[in-house]
Amino acid sequence: KKIIIATSNPNKAKEFRRIFDETEIELKTLLDLTDVPEIRETGESFKENAQIKAHTVMEKYKLPTIADDSGLEVDALFGQPGIYSARYAGDHNDAANNAKLLAELGGVPEEKRTARFVTTLVFANPNNDEDLVVEGEVKGQIANFPQGNNGFGYDPLFYLPDLKKTMAELTLDQKNEISHRGRAIRKLENEWPSWINW
Ligand code: ITT
């Protein structure tokens, strides 16, 4: 059985693969497919954008499709960068995004640097009328400088006080255990087998 993960982000793909590894499902991402349709993320929420990605891809390939729309919400920035996380500093460039985030938070003291990562997963299937939608989040704070080489995006700046590490200092498995995406994927794993009409 095949499921498409409607992402072109290789790091997201890795996190999904690790978790679906123990099943007999064959995962394909947009990096494995040809003729990928243009996806216009014009929604106003993580859920709307995930729905757009899931449905654009499902319509094209007629296969069950999961999309992930995710981002970082920083309290001192009133929830920014939010749905604009990928392109916060212009083009999708993680280093520039992190530099911009640090600049925006210049002078903000530690106790006010609270933030959360959030993800919404939308599972769309040709034989189901309604999508399956789940969310996951993890709370942390924005560090004063980047630390760690694992993960992607804002991981080097996302500090987890309980672990005394940034997300980029965790292994892939450790990240999946506590991350917004790991949590959302586990909810999806519990719910999709009884939802899907193959
Ligand atoms: P796809 O749309 O192809 O899935 P994308 O990277 O453009 O890939 P989003 O539009 O959902 O995906 O943007 C998510 C951005 O939020 C991502 O590029 C990172 O900057 C940030 N982000 C999301 N999850 C993250 C994580 O686990 N660690 C670090 N940053 C993350």
Side-chain angles (χ1 to χ4, degrees):
K1 292 194 169 111
K2 256 190 217 169
I3 293 178
I4 300 178
I5 310 290
T7 185
S8 345
N9 181 327
N11 295 294
K12 279 190 191 177
K14 243 196 253 173
E15 295 176 13
F16 274 97
R17 277 195 198 289
R18 182 61 70 100
I19 292 177
F20 274 91
D21 246 4
E22 294 125 47
T23 70
E24 85 284 23
I25 304 290
E26 186 187 343
L27 287 191
K28 296 270 180 215
T29 73
L30 300 185
L31 302 165
D32 309 313
L33 298 167
T34 49
D35 249 358
V36 174
E38 191 200 348
I39 299 173
R40 307 177 106 253
E41 288 185 43
T42 52
E44 289 176 4
S45 63
F46 294 112
K47 184 178 168 186
E48 280 178 22
N49 280 335
Q51 271 169 330
I52 292 168
K53 291 190 241 191
H55 283 270
T56 308
V57 171
M58 181 194 75
E59 297 298 336
K60 165 86 187 187
Y61 302 100
K62 314 287 183 211
L63 282 170
T65 302
I66 301 167
D68 166 309
D69 202 65
S70 47
L72 177 69
E73 295 185 343
V74 179
D75 294 319
L77 303 176
F78 308 101
Q80 293 301 317
I83 61 169
Y84 305 107
S85 291
R87 284 156 205 85
Y88 189 39
D91 293 340
H92 189 170
N93 176 325
D94 289 344
N97 287 341
N98 283 333
K100 176 167 177 179
L101 179 61
L102 281 182
E104 296 286 334
L105 286 178
V108 176
E110 190 182 312
E111 69 275 12
K112 295 200 172 139
R113 299 172 76 96
T114 49
R116 62 179 199 139
F117 271 133
V118 286
T119 186
T120 300
L121 303 182
V122 169
F123 199 161
N125 182 45
N127 295 331
N128 283 76
D129 291 336
E130 305 233 345
D131 296 341
L132 184 59
V133 181
V134 297
E135 287 175 17
E137 72 157 18
V138 57
K139 292 192 157 95
Q141 63 198 49
I142 305 305
N144 288 307
F145 53 89
Q147 210 159 310
N149 296 309
N150 302 331
F152 70 100
Y154 300 94
D155 283 341
L157 287 179
F158 195 86
Y159 184 74
L160 299 148
D162 290 349
L163 302 179
K164 296 195 167 60
K165 283 181 178 172
T166 68
M167 202 72 112
E169 294 179 288
L170 304 182
T171 65
L172 187 58
D173 288 335
Q174 287 169 334
K175 179 177 173 183
N176 274 339
E177 243 174 73
I178 58 142
S179 76
H180 53 313
R181 182 165 302 101
R183 287 179 175 154
I185 291 171
R186 282 190 292 280
K187 285 188 201 166
L188 197 71
E189 278 180 316
N190 286 332
E191 296 183 24
W192 77 265
S194 60
W195 162 84
I196 201 164
N197 294 317
W198 285 107

